[in-house]
Amino acid sequence: MKPEVLQLSPILIPEIRDKLDQLFTIRRYYEQADKASYLAQHGANIRGVITGGHTGITQTVMAQLPNLEVVAVNGVGTDAIDLAYARDRGIQVTATIGALTEDVADLAIGLLISACRGISTGDRYVRSGQWATSATPLVPLPLARQMSGMRIGIVGMGRVGRAVATRAAAFGCPISYTDLQAMSDVPYTFVADLLALASDSDALILAAAADKGEAIVNAEVLHALGRDGYLINIARGKLVDEPALVAALQNGQIAGAGLDVFADEPQVPGELFELEQVVLQPHRASATVQTRTRMGEMVVASLVDVFAGRKPGGSVTG
Ligand code: 8YV
């Protein structure tokens, strides 16, 4: 009998879907209209769960899976899972650690360039036909902000933070960072205080885990970032006080933002739609074929390992 696995969020790579169906009986929870009866029907047989990083799994759902052995996160963030509860029940939680570092860092830099240089604005301008009909076609839009050489402040010097730093360094950007402590193995400037980091940075890039669920980027931090500063978030929306961010952008207290993540996804504050200096993405920093394939392979491997009684790679529960 194949182990039963409850899938909470879709997997888009056909080869991974096939592999999952080959090895396990996959219960596609996310497709069910009546989730409560589906759980009542299948909950007792479920030995594994597949879920996304920012969507996780609630304790209420876990409580209805009495034989659950493993939650395989198709992502790196485990902030949407009660790890203490999982540990208490002996449920292993695994994540695709290392698989998406490069893609997420790429998008952070992409968002920064796009926000500074107004790439989306330029694209909209050309598509709308405005350029062709402009009275001054040689000066189509206001001048942009140079990205090379910007002082970059990185919040969280983990895998993604480091990958962002490597890329930013190639653009000639001086790099500072904050984290719980200084890291002896990186050549960048450690700044313990987030406010001080924000005020010394032209762009603040959020690459931190959000396990504490705290909105560390508040009105004060945004004020410190200042009217020439940009905020880039490829981590978690809940790291930012979103109403304060909207106000800071509307009032010109910061220059712009590049956001892949939001506090209440897929809801995005409508005020942001009106702001040209903001670049928006629907949480897709890891969404490339290459990375999602690697992530899917890691998800499959951790399920296989746990069901075979082996310690899985990427375990976050120890
Ligand atoms: C994914 C993420 O969008 O890794 C994470 O924690 O938030 C993202 O990479 C998500 O996990 C996709 O399932």
Side-chain angles (χ1 to χ4, degrees), residues 9-11 50-56 73-79 95-96 100 104 234-236 260-261 265 282-287 291-292 295:
S9 53
I11 291 215
I50 300 172
T51 190
H54 60 293
T55 44
V73 176
N74 189 30
V76 279
T78 49
D79 49 296
T96 62
L100 45 70
V104 177
I234 40 73
R236 284 288 184 269
D260 185 48
V261 289
E265 295 170 14
H283 196 144
R284 61 200 290 261
S286 68
T291 287
R292 286 291 166 86
M295 289 164 70

Side-chain angles (χ1 to χ4, degrees), residues 11-299:
I11 291 215
L12 302 176
I13 304 288
E15 292 78 5
I16 301 294
R17 280 207 302 262
D18 291 348
K19 192 87 197 154
L20 286 169
D21 285 327
Q22 220 179 347
L23 295 169
F24 316 114
T25 299
I26 298 290
R27 303 284 180 205
R28 293 195 164 78
Y29 183 71
Y30 63 93
E31 284 177 353
Q32 307 306 314
D34 184 353
K35 295 194 163 51
S37 357
Y38 195 75
L39 267 191
Q41 191 186 342
H42 298 290
N45 299 325
I46 298 296
R47 293 176 58 194
V49 158
I50 300 172
T51 190
H54 60 293
T55 44
I57 181 170
T58 63
Q59 203 175 309
T60 320
V61 172
M62 276 204 267
Q64 292 172 75
L65 309 173
N67 296 307
L68 185 60
E69 296 166 43
V70 52
V71 176
V73 176
N74 189 30
V76 279
T78 49
D79 49 296
I81 301 178
D82 187 336
L83 293 180
Y85 172 82
R87 276 191 199 101
D88 277 355
R89 278 196 40 200
I91 299 165
Q92 310 235 31
V93 178
T94 65
T96 62
I97 294 166
L100 45 70
T101 310
E102 312 303 328
D103 274 3
V104 177
D106 289 354
L107 196 79
I109 297 295
L111 285 172
L112 179 59
I113 299 178
S114 185
C116 294
R117 300 294 304 271
I119 294 177
S120 305
T121 301
D123 181 84
R124 282 192 285 272
Y125 185 76
V126 175
R127 276 171 206 267
S128 68
Q130 280 174 278
W131 190 27
T133 56
S134 159
T136 53
L138 289 178
V139 217
L141 288 169
L143 294 178
R145 164 71 159 94
Q146 183 175 45
M147 184 259 166
S148 286
M150 272 181 131
R151 294 169 305 158
I152 303 289
I154 299 176
V155 180
M157 199 34 79
R159 286 183 187 78
V160 171
R162 286 164 192 239
V164 170
T166 310
R167 286 156 177 71
F171 284 86
C173 297
I175 294 155
S176 305
Y177 70 98
T178 195
D179 207 311
L180 297 178
Q181 64 206 25
M183 316 263 164
S184 54
D185 58 343
V186 295
Y188 317 116
T189 308
F190 175 66
V191 181
D193 178 34
L194 178 56
L195 265 184
L197 182 73
S199 75
D200 288 347
S201 300
D202 299 315
L204 201 60
I205 302 184
L206 306 186
D211 297 332
K212 296 205 183 90
E214 202 187 327
I216 52 173
V217 177
N218 53 23
E220 234 187 322
V221 171
L222 293 165
H223 181 74
L225 183 58
R227 32 191 334 103
D228 295 323
Y230 288 81
L231 180 75
I232 304 301
N233 193 0
I234 40 73
R236 284 288 184 269
K238 60 187 166 188
L239 291 172
V240 179
D241 176 341
E242 221 164 52
L245 174 62
V246 168
L249 286 160
Q250 283 175 326
N251 304 330
Q253 281 159 4
I254 67 168
L259 308 171
D260 185 48
V261 289
F262 303 88
D264 182 26
E265 295 170 14
Q267 304 307 319
V268 173
E271 295 92 329
L272 296 178
F273 304 160
E274 310 300 321
L275 302 174
E276 280 297 330
Q277 72 276 36
V278 179
V279 182
L280 304 170
Q281 285 288 297
H283 196 144
R284 61 200 290 261
S286 68
T288 68
V289 172
Q290 293 70 20
T291 287
R292 286 291 166 86
T293 303
R294 252 191 319 274
M295 289 164 70
E297 284 163 356
M298 289 169 84
V299 164

